[in-house]
Amino acid sequence: DSAIICLENTHRHLGLGVEPREAAFLGASEVAMPELVSTLCTFLVLMPLVLVPGMGKFLFQPMAMGVAFAMIAAYLLSRSLVPAYSALLLKPHSADHAHHQPNVFQRAFARWEALIDRGIAWYVRGLDWVLLHRWTTVAAGFGLLVAGLVVLGPQLRREFFPEVDAGAFELAVRAPTGTRIEVTEERIAAVEKFLREKIDPHDLVLLVSEMGVTPDWSAAYTPNAGPMDGVIKVQLAEHRHHSAQEYVTMIRAGLVENPKFADLDFAFDAGGMVRGALNEGKSSPLTIRVVGKDQKTCYQIAEKIKRDLAEVDGIVDARILQRMNYPQFVINVNRKKAADLGLTQADVMKNVVAACNSSISFNKKNFWIDPGSHNQYFVGVQYPEEDIQSIDSLLDISVTSPKQLQPVPLRSVATLTRNTVPSEITHYNIQPTIELTMNIERRSLGHVSDDVAVLLDKHGVRNPDGFWAPFDPKGDGAKTLTGAKIILSGEYARMQETFKSLGLGLLLAAALMYCLMVGLDRSWIVPLTVMLVVPISIGGVLPMLYFTGTAINVQSLLGIIFVVGIKVANTVLMTDFAQELRRHEGLSPTEAIRKAASIRVRPVTMTALAAFFAMIPAALAIERGSEANAPLARAILGGLLAGEPATLFVLPALYSLMVRDKRPIAGAHAHAAAIATDAPIEPTPEIG
């Protein structure tokens, strides 16, 4: 844009008969200040991206810094290298007419220039009508903005980050609590077979299943809570017939309809690595946390909420992660009898753990070093798993100790009883937590979250801090549970936080831009006309997002921020020239903005078209996986489509209405005739 503006201004001076060297100097120097203002304004509008807290900082800061440094280089080059090359390579326009017979390219260029001149003449005629109906023009511009906000705003989808086809998805499978690992393996194998039938063989690259939990540190890195859990990871081909999201929708419906899988719980994750990073590693975009000391009561509250979630349109895969009914055996040791036999509680525990798991769990002193690789391996003992098939075989475990070398059967000193315990215990800020996770289908995260928040109002009292105090399920439905709270989290919380940060940052940037332009323009009113045109430009984003089915997310908000920078640059270019005309030629505000608009329409349109065509490939999102950048590009396209008429018509009307001086505006037609020296513009009616 900086180079285009500099070259266009140089070209204009060449058309006025100025020599190339002087034209290059004037072309670069005249637009140096408005270009500096627009560059600084773009820096200010990028500030929210640099200062946004949390995960958004890692998403936006590299882009903001990249744009900032690129603009610094562009400004310096357009003030130095571009005018130097212009002085060296360009020729006076009078030299073009010295040829006796122009060639094909020169004739085509002349026709193109004539077409552009006619277009500018038509624009000026339209501008004259606008300046005669200034209030109508301004009212129409802001009326369309308000209509878009009122009509389209509530209907737009809202999400945190665009849903991207990552080429892979995960399927979490949970069998009834306490299912043995070998039974889980059979069930997972049946699900794998179903997946292979549903997924096109050409699209399927890899299918990997993880089952159960290893009783070691590695258990911290798996979502499985026990032998009844499994995770199936599916990798799709690069050139596939269906996206990961399409396969997830198709497979989810098939699993629900198949009675063979009625006893299994399923949850899908097709968000990919970026979505997981933005959501603290969670697979579901929406999570309800019930936090409290009494886990059983919190679980009852979560179950009631889960039943009611069936009424919310768009909720799928709703499940409570923690289960309270994991079966376990309790070994009740008769300590007196054990002591008579020379055994302690610890002796019984170590023998049972060694038999069922491994002695490594409590004895890490024995290890062996591989002489070849020098790796260390712990050495332990345990019973073969297939030997423990019943309670009787468990009671036959031999117990020994340093004081009792003769094996004593476990049944001689202990009895077994059954009970249930939580399958896993999750903590949030050190407090025990029950998590209810869910996925979203067909509807947007924002609309579903609003409905879920209304539903939670039935289960608790909303707190100003953003959580709910739940009603006691054992009470009359009006008393809240002391020390417990319901928190709506996940991508929804990240979305709210990031949207608020970007919105506040944009307002602060707008205030700083206004103060900057006030200092450089030495006017309170002129910068205000610029700032008033920007919202009309942003108003074009809403229809573009609506008609392309694009949601408001961090990427489309990023596009809005860039639209603000682009349109401020264009409007400053026009108002700065109008101020120069008022100072040096003594024109009235209406005369000055009319002449400035007729001369600056070419660079304003050229820079807008350059940005417009540059955004089209990203907006189309033809390649799979490119959906992440489409909202940004579409938002910029919408802003440019609305911003161009706002800059060319609404801005002159606002400038003419708001900027005042002591001179009357009656002589507008006389001054307008001077424009003919710069461009072939036809005479227009007098402006009053």
Side-chain angles (χ1 to χ4, degrees):
D1 286 357
S2 297
I4 287 175
I5 291 170
C6 180
L7 282 172
E8 191 280 333
N9 204 32
T10 302
H11 174 77
R12 184 174 69 88
H13 281 288
L14 287 173
L16 296 175
V18 180
E19 290 299 310
R21 186 181 182 88
E22 186 180 357
F25 173 78
L26 293 174
S29 60
E30 287 180 353
V31 296
M33 183 55 71
E35 278 293 290
L36 177 62
V37 173
S38 63
T39 301
L40 293 176
C41 287
T42 305
F43 288 167
L44 291 175
V45 86
L46 291 175
M47 279 179 53
L49 306 182
V50 179
L51 302 177
V52 66
M55 186 58 67
K57 175 181 179 181
F58 298 95
L59 276 178
F60 307 133
Q61 193 176 63
M63 178 183 288
M65 299 301 289
V67 172
F69 285 116
M71 291 197 65
I72 292 173
Y75 182 78
L76 295 177
L77 290 173
S78 63
R79 306 278 77 78
S80 56
L81 191 65
V82 173
Y85 272 118
S86 298
L88 180 65
L89 301 177
L90 297 182
K91 297 179 181 179
H93 282 196
S94 58
D96 297 336
H97 303 290
H99 297 283
H100 298 291
Q101 190 171 3
N103 57 36
V104 176
F105 295 104
Q106 289 172 331
R107 288 197 299 270
F109 183 75
R111 283 196 291 269
W112 176 249
E113 281 287 307
L115 181 64
I116 292 177
D117 290 340
R118 283 198 296 272
I120 294 176
W122 294 337
Y123 162 67
V124 174
R125 283 199 293 271
L127 180 61
D128 288 337
W129 185 91
V130 164
L131 293 176
L132 286 169
H133 304 83
R134 295 171 292 180
W135 283 109
T136 303
T137 304
V138 173
F142 284 100
L144 291 174
L145 171 63
V146 173
L149 291 173
V150 173
V151 177
L152 299 180
Q155 300 184 49
L156 284 176
R157 297 170 59 246
R158 287 176 286 128
E159 62 188 13
F160 182 38
F161 197 79
E163 196 169 41
V164 179
D165 179 13
F169 64 89
E170 294 184 3
L171 172 58
V173 185
R174 171 168 284 184
T177 310
T179 302
R180 293 175 66 91
I181 189 70
E182 54 268 28
V183 178
T184 302
E185 184 179 10
E186 295 175 0
R187 304 309 307 278
I188 294 293
V191 177
E192 286 184 352
K193 181 181 178 183
F194 177 83
L195 293 177
R196 294 184 187 277
E197 293 172 353
K198 288 291 184 180
I199 300 175
D200 190 321
H202 174 269
D203 292 351
L204 182 61
V205 174
L206 188 64
L207 194 150
V208 178
S209 298
E210 301 173 0
M211 288 166 286
V213 178
T214 303
D216 204 340
W217 285 107
S218 61
Y221 303 99
T222 175
N224 295 340
M228 67 282 185
D229 285 350
V231 177
I232 304 176
K233 300 181 179 182
V234 181
Q235 178 66 49
L236 301 175
E238 181 179 358
H239 303 287
R240 47 194 175 273
H241 297 97
H242 301 284
S243 67
Q245 285 75 17
E246 290 170 345
Y247 272 122
V248 164
T249 302
M250 180 172 54
I251 292 169
R252 179 186 285 123
L255 290 171
V256 171
E257 295 170 358
N258 197 325
K260 185 166 61 174
F261 304 118
D263 62 331
L264 300 180
D265 289 339
F266 298 99
F268 290 84
D269 177 18
M273 186 183 299
V274 174
R275 187 170 181 178
L278 295 174
N279 197 22
E280 299 180 336
K282 301 290 185 183
S283 61
S284 57
L286 206 56
T287 301
I288 297 174
R289 289 192 176 110
V290 185
V291 182
K293 297 179 181 179
D294 189 345
Q295 279 197 300
K296 291 184 178 180
T297 304
C298 291
Y299 189 84
Q300 293 176 9
I301 296 172
E303 278 191 318
K304 291 179 64 177
I305 297 174
K306 180 186 174 183
R307 287 194 296 268
D308 291 346
L309 283 175
E311 304 173 2
V312 179
D313 183 28
I315 293 289
V316 292
D317 302 339
R319 64 173 188 157
I320 301 174
L321 291 185
Q322 296 76 21
R323 288 185 174 182
M324 308 301 292
N325 60 341
Y326 194 91
Q328 76 168 6
F329 291 111
V330 179
I331 302 177
N332 301 300
V333 179
N334 188 325
R335 299 194 181 193
K336 184 177 183 303
K337 186 182 289 187
D340 292 341
L341 294 173
L343 300 172
T344 64
Q345 186 92 343
D347 294 332
V348 176
M349 178 273 295
K350 289 180 179 180
N351 280 267
V352 173
V353 170
C356 298
N357 185 14
S358 174
S359 60
I360 297 173
S361 302
F362 56 84
N363 183 8
K364 296 184 182 291
K365 297 178 181 179
N366 299 326
F367 56 88
W368 172 73
I369 299 177
D370 186 348
S373 64
H374 302 290
N375 290 332
Q376 174 181 307
Y377 297 93
F378 290 110
V379 178
V381 296
Q382 72 178 89
Y383 284 16
E385 289 186 15
E386 61 270 14
D387 288 355
I388 303 178
Q389 295 288 341
S390 65
I391 294 179
D392 286 336
S393 60
L394 188 63
L395 290 171
D396 287 337
I397 291 175
S398 299
V399 181
T400 61
S401 75
K403 295 182 180 180
Q404 176 56 273
L405 301 180
Q406 294 295 323
V408 176
L410 180 63
R411 67 175 70 247
S412 300
V413 294
T415 58
L416 293 183
T417 57
R418 292 174 179 265
N419 70 356
T420 57
V421 292
S423 59
E424 56 184 328
I425 299 176
T426 305
H427 289 83
Y428 175 75
N429 287 343
I430 315 180
Q431 295 178 295
T433 303
I434 301 297
E435 292 182 328
L436 172 57
T437 64
M438 64 208 80
N439 283 324
I440 295 170
E441 191 176 69
R442 299 186 311 278
R443 298 181 69 202
S444 71
L445 173 63
H447 290 103
V448 172
S449 300
D450 293 341
D451 291 347
V452 171
V454 173
L455 183 146
L456 292 179
D457 290 335
K458 303 177 183 178
H459 294 270
V461 178
R462 191 181 300 211
N463 191 285
D465 294 335
F467 61 86
W468 286 260
F471 295 125
D472 190 346
K474 301 175 184 177
D476 56 1
K479 182 182 178 183
T480 58
L481 190 63
T482 306
K485 57 185 176 181
I486 302 173
I487 303 172
L488 186 58
S489 63
E491 282 189 37
Y492 168 75
R494 296 283 175 275
M495 180 181 74
Q496 297 288 88
E497 177 187 356
T498 305
F499 282 15
K500 185 183 295 183
S501 299
L502 289 177
L504 292 175
L506 192 57
L507 290 176
L508 177 61
L512 292 176
M513 283 191 293
Y514 176 75
C515 295
L516 173 68
M517 288 187 287
V518 165
L520 294 175
D521 287 340
R522 289 170 292 178
S523 169
W524 297 97
I525 301 299
V526 175
L528 187 59
T529 63
V530 173
M531 301 306 297
L532 287 175
V533 170
V534 172
I536 302 177
S537 305
I538 297 176
V541 175
L542 301 181
M544 176 63 72
L545 296 181
Y546 178 79
F547 290 113
T548 58
T550 308
I552 293 180
N553 49 46
V554 290
Q555 292 292 84
S556 54
L557 288 177
L558 188 61
I560 291 174
I561 288 174
F562 280 118
V563 166
V564 172
I566 293 171
K567 297 324 295 178
V568 166
N570 285 345
T571 51
V572 165
L573 187 68
M574 192 176 291
T575 56
D576 180 82
F577 192 37
Q579 291 294 94
E580 286 293 319
L581 292 174
R582 291 181 63 204
R583 283 192 288 266
H584 294 96
E585 298 187 15
L587 302 183
S588 69
T590 302
E591 298 164 349
I593 196 63
R594 183 184 186 277
K595 184 172 182 178
S598 64
I599 294 175
R600 293 297 190 220
V601 61
R602 188 191 295 250
V604 167
T605 305
M606 290 170 68
T607 53
L609 287 175
F612 185 87
F613 288 120
M615 289 295 108
I616 289 178
L620 294 176
I622 297 173
E623 294 292 328
R624 293 195 183 277
S626 62
E627 301 91 346
N629 292 325
L632 184 149
R634 291 167 185 169
I636 293 177
L637 289 178
L640 291 173
L641 288 174
E644 192 65 5
T647 304
L648 297 180
F649 293 106
V650 180
L651 175 67
L654 275 172
Y655 187 95
S656 177
L657 284 171
M658 299 178 65
V659 179
R660 297 292 181 188
D661 60 11
K662 297 179 180 179
R663 294 180 68 253
I665 6 173
H669 177 65
H671 287 282
I675 300 175
T677 61
D678 293 334
I681 300 172
E682 299 178 9
T684 51
E686 183 166 328
I687 301 168

